[in-house]
Amino acid sequence: METLNIVYLVSAILIFSSIMASTLSARLGLPLLLLFLLVGMLAGEEGILGIEFSQYAIANFVGQAALACILLDGGLRTSFKSFRVGLKPAVVLATWGVFATVLVLGLFVTWLLDVDWRIGLLMAAIVGSTDAAAVFSLLRNGGVKLNDRVQATLELESGANDPFAILLVTGLIALNVDQNSQTLLGFVSLLAQQLGFGMLMGLLFGYLLSKMLPKLHLAVGMYAILIMSAGLAVFAATNLIGGSGFLAVYLAGILVGNNKVRATEHVLRVMDSFAWLSQAVLFVVLGLLVTPSNVLNVWHYSVAIAAFMILIARPIAVFSSIKPFGFKDREIGFISWVGLRGAVPITLAILPVMAGLPDAFLLFDIAFGVVILSLVLQGTTIPFMANLFKVRVPSNAEPDEEMEIWVSEQASITLYEFEVKPGAFAMGRHPLDISSSISEDEIAIFALIRNEKIVIVDQDTRLKYGDRVWYGLRGNHAAKIARIYNDIKLDRRSVEDFYGDWMISPNVRLGDLPFFDESVSSTPPNTKVTYDKEGSPVNMWQQTVAEFIKANLNTAPVPGDTVQINEEWSLIIKDIDDKGTLRTIGLKHY
């Protein structure tokens, strides 16, 4: 009994310490997942507590369950809107991209470690896929708003590439154990089985769960437990029949999350805690499992492999995967850089140890070092790289908080919170008198918070710096109100710096814009010429702005996309509706 209580105490202290360490994450600029790993390492056999933990089977069990929970939560928060711009490139990245990374990196590892090519490919397969936990955590909580195409592609790739990576690792382990056990036909058949059963189970049970939730009447906290248990059941059942449980649980989460009902909001709130707990437990356990001195002994291999993977193998794989989909070079560069590695490579590195391969511990220590380097180098530089590759879009047109309140099984009200920034247009105005373009029946005040206290709003109430106002809105006015509550000068400057000085309609003809009056009769130098179906050149000045953008973009448009008119002028997409129709375009002069 005493031993059991000691285990409870130590486990609770480790998780508590990991969560408390998160307060340092933003200050130090370190990824939170890295701090979880460090807590585990400090508690390990060469750390402060000296806990000896070498139970690879237990770590694998924890890792599989935690990753299933993380993928379920990631699926619940993945909007169908992401599929419009990111599905096809993400699928190619999750398959061919992983294979290309493993092939290129495997040749380098074979040469570097001077090992058999099968071991080299196995090492590359272990670190070949991006990690859902790392990507979801750093992209969604990193304070950087990315171009929708890039964000959707990265998130969908990280959620979908685990099955292929696991299959490669499993197949290569079998090939190392028995060279005659694997054939190309057998590998392709196994891949089809994994993906086929994974998709079938995920879509089937995701659909059934999404239809079942509205008919249930449970205590608020029970919905998330129900979804969690159902997700783990889908994960395990899919694995038992030979499919990919990770793919199945991710797809099931997507279907449940996009069929919103009253229960969905409760599920998302609680699942957020489950996902964070899973990440904390997983990374602490992996930190306990590793022996830091062993990782340091092979640090030069980890540095070389990480550098080659980040600078050569990943860019080759990404370029060959998504260039055909019309991605720009700067988008390809950023996606190449944010190939974050995390818990998945370490969890996969456990499998060779459990299989008893001769070089298994070497692979594990190198993989751990690669993950550390990836989290430090790539995880800490996401904001810088987003600016460098110009995939970051202004985020000052968003509410500070958003909360959905369900008033019936099928109807909900969304509340938005806005804080009055210094220099905001809203200062000194009544909360309902902030915009003449929003009618009284489209806006209602839910609460005004001043100095952490609720203030009763009357006719004489005027907004002050630091006030936080919760609105109930009808119509798409959240972005407009956010701009009113932000610093006017900073807001205008950031918008003008990014989108240009003029906002124009997508329906106006290029030739009708006053800036190009003298050039209507001819095509400016260095301007891309487009052709109609008969092969005749199209007079660009007769095209609308929307037609010109779509003719020159070669991919589904997203906010932040830039199309050059000539060397001096460009069009930048600012707003797009849910159907992909262009709404507002920025005109920028260089």
Side-chain angles (χ1 to χ4, degrees):
M1 190 65 179
E2 183 177 346
T3 302
L4 188 61
N5 285 322
I6 292 175
V7 172
Y8 289 154
L9 178 62
V10 172
S11 301
I13 290 174
L14 289 178
I15 300 301
F16 181 85
S17 301
S18 301
I19 301 301
M20 291 301 296
S22 67
T23 59
L24 299 175
S25 178
R27 297 179 185 177
L28 299 178
L30 295 175
L32 180 57
L33 305 181
L34 179 60
L35 295 179
F36 290 163
L37 271 178
L38 293 177
V39 168
M41 294 170 68
L42 288 173
E45 58 181 315
E46 294 183 350
I48 299 173
L49 298 182
I51 299 174
E52 294 186 7
F53 181 77
S54 58
Q55 301 298 319
Y56 288 88
I58 294 177
N60 182 56
F61 170 78
V62 172
Q64 298 276 333
L67 288 173
C69 177
I70 293 166
L71 283 169
L72 176 61
D73 181 68
L76 289 170
R77 299 173 193 280
T78 300
S79 170
F80 279 151
K81 187 171 65 174
S82 301
F83 284 66
R84 181 177 64 85
V85 295
L87 179 60
K88 291 180 181 179
V91 169
V92 177
L93 272 174
T95 50
W96 163 252
V98 173
F99 181 78
T101 302
V102 171
L103 185 61
V104 175
L105 183 60
L107 295 175
F108 175 76
V109 172
T110 300
W111 169 81
L112 178 69
L113 301 182
D114 192 21
V115 293
D116 184 84
W117 64 270
R118 287 173 285 267
I119 292 293
L121 287 178
L122 177 58
M123 177 73 254
I126 288 172
V127 298
S129 68
T130 58
D131 183 70
V135 171
F136 290 154
S137 174
L138 291 175
L139 291 189
R140 296 182 179 182
N141 303 296
V144 177
K145 181 174 176 57
L146 298 174
N147 157 341
D148 287 347
R149 183 186 303 107
V150 172
Q151 178 103 8
T153 300
L154 284 168
E155 290 188 356
L156 290 173
E157 176 207 5
S158 68
N161 65 9
D162 289 343
F164 194 55
I166 293 170
L167 179 62
L168 284 176
V169 171
T170 304
L172 287 168
I173 288 175
L175 189 63
N176 278 278
V177 173
D178 181 5
Q179 298 182 16
N180 299 318
S181 64
Q182 294 291 319
T183 63
L184 180 60
L185 180 61
F187 181 83
V188 172
S189 175
L190 183 59
L191 174 61
Q193 175 183 312
Q194 286 270 312
L195 297 179
F197 285 162
M199 290 182 63
L200 177 64
M201 294 288 283
L203 295 175
L204 174 61
F205 285 98
Y207 174 80
L208 293 176
L209 282 170
S210 67
K211 297 301 180 184
M212 181 181 68
L213 279 179
K215 301 177 181 179
L216 297 177
H217 299 280
L218 304 172
V220 172
M222 299 297 286
Y223 287 107
I225 298 175
L226 176 72
I227 295 298
M228 171 66 77
S229 60
L232 290 176
V234 171
F235 170 75
T238 306
N239 286 334
L240 285 174
I241 65 173
S244 170
F246 291 112
L247 179 60
V249 74
Y250 182 62
L251 290 176
I254 290 175
L255 289 181
V256 172
N258 281 276
N259 287 276
K260 287 192 173 183
V261 293
R262 183 188 186 101
T264 310
E265 184 66 21
H266 304 316
V267 170
L268 290 175
R269 292 179 188 177
V270 182
M271 277 300 302
D272 190 47
S273 297
F274 282 161
W276 276 113
L277 178 62
S278 297
Q279 292 183 55
V281 171
L282 173 57
F283 279 83
V284 169
V285 167
L286 295 177
L288 282 170
L289 190 64
V290 73
T291 303
S293 60
N294 292 341
V295 176
L296 290 175
N297 289 336
V298 295
W299 70 270
H300 50 294
Y301 290 137
S302 297
V303 170
I305 291 173
F308 188 88
M309 179 182 67
I310 294 171
L311 301 177
I312 299 177
R314 169 77 176 174
I316 290 174
V318 172
F319 184 87
S320 61
S321 296
I322 66 176
K323 185 62 175 179
F325 294 101
F327 280 71
K328 297 183 178 180
D329 290 342
R330 54 186 174 81
E331 294 174 329
I332 293 174
F334 183 76
I335 292 173
S336 298
W337 181 260
V338 190
L340 292 164
R341 270 59 184 178
V344 171
I346 303 176
T347 304
L348 292 179
I350 293 174
L351 299 181
V353 175
M354 297 176 63
L357 293 186
D359 296 309
F361 289 101
L362 173 66
L363 300 183
F364 179 83
D365 293 330
I366 292 176
F368 198 93
V370 169
V371 168
I372 294 290
L373 290 170
S374 176
L375 289 175
V376 171
L377 293 177
Q378 296 169 286
T380 58
T381 56
I382 287 179
F384 173 78
M385 287 298 180
N387 292 327
L388 179 66
F389 287 106
K390 299 180 180 179
V391 295
R392 190 172 188 170
V393 295
S395 58
N396 50 5
E398 294 182 344
D400 295 307
E401 293 287 344
E402 185 175 332
M403 181 178 297
E404 198 169 17
I405 298 177
W406 287 81
V407 294
S408 71
E409 293 301 329
Q410 301 296 329
S412 66
I413 298 173
T414 302
L415 300 179
Y416 302 90
E417 183 193 38
F418 305 91
E419 181 177 351
V420 180
K421 305 298 192 303
F425 179 80
M427 287 184 64
R429 294 179 175 272
H430 190 276
L432 291 178
D433 185 27
I434 55 175
S435 175
S436 59
S437 64
I438 304 177
S439 62
E440 294 182 359
D441 62 343
E442 291 182 304
I443 184 170
I445 300 172
F446 179 74
L448 169 60
I449 313 298
R450 179 175 294 165
N451 298 324
E452 303 303 324
K453 296 180 181 179
I454 296 178
V455 175
I456 297 176
V457 179
D458 55 31
Q459 293 182 348
D460 297 325
T461 302
R462 293 294 180 268
L463 291 171
K464 299 180 180 180
Y465 163 66
D467 284 354
R468 291 181 290 120
V469 184
W470 283 88
Y471 288 109
L473 299 176
R474 179 184 300 153
N476 189 21
H477 298 299
K480 183 185 300 181
I481 296 176
R483 287 190 288 268
I484 292 171
Y485 273 77
N486 284 329
D487 187 317
I488 299 174
K489 294 180 180 179
L490 289 177
D491 181 66
R492 184 176 301 163
R493 189 180 306 124
S494 65
V495 170
E496 290 176 354
D497 287 346
F498 190 85
Y499 295 108
D501 296 320
W502 300 274
M503 295 297 153
I504 59 178
S505 166
N507 299 317
V508 67
R509 289 191 313 130
L510 278 177
D512 291 337
L513 294 173
F515 312 102
F516 308 113
D517 281 347
E518 298 178 0
S519 308
V520 173
S521 60
S522 62
T523 300
N526 301 320
T527 298
K528 182 177 179 181
V529 178
T530 57
Y531 299 88
D532 58 22
K533 294 180 179 180
E534 287 72 30
S536 301
V538 175
N539 184 345
M540 60 177 281
W541 302 111
Q542 298 302 317
Q543 290 181 308
T544 66
V545 169
E547 290 171 344
F548 181 77
I549 288 175
K550 291 180 179 179
N552 287 270
L553 199 55
N554 300 322
T555 186
V558 297
D561 276 340
T562 301
V563 175
Q564 292 289 138
I565 298 176
N566 53 35
E567 292 181 348
E568 297 182 356
W569 295 89
S570 64
L571 299 167
I572 305 175
I573 300 174
K574 186 174 186 292
D575 292 320
I576 295 179
D577 66 18
D578 293 337
K579 296 180 180 179
T581 304
L582 303 183
R583 297 178 60 189
T584 308
I585 310 297
L587 180 63
K588 188 171 185 177
H589 184 262
Y590 297 96

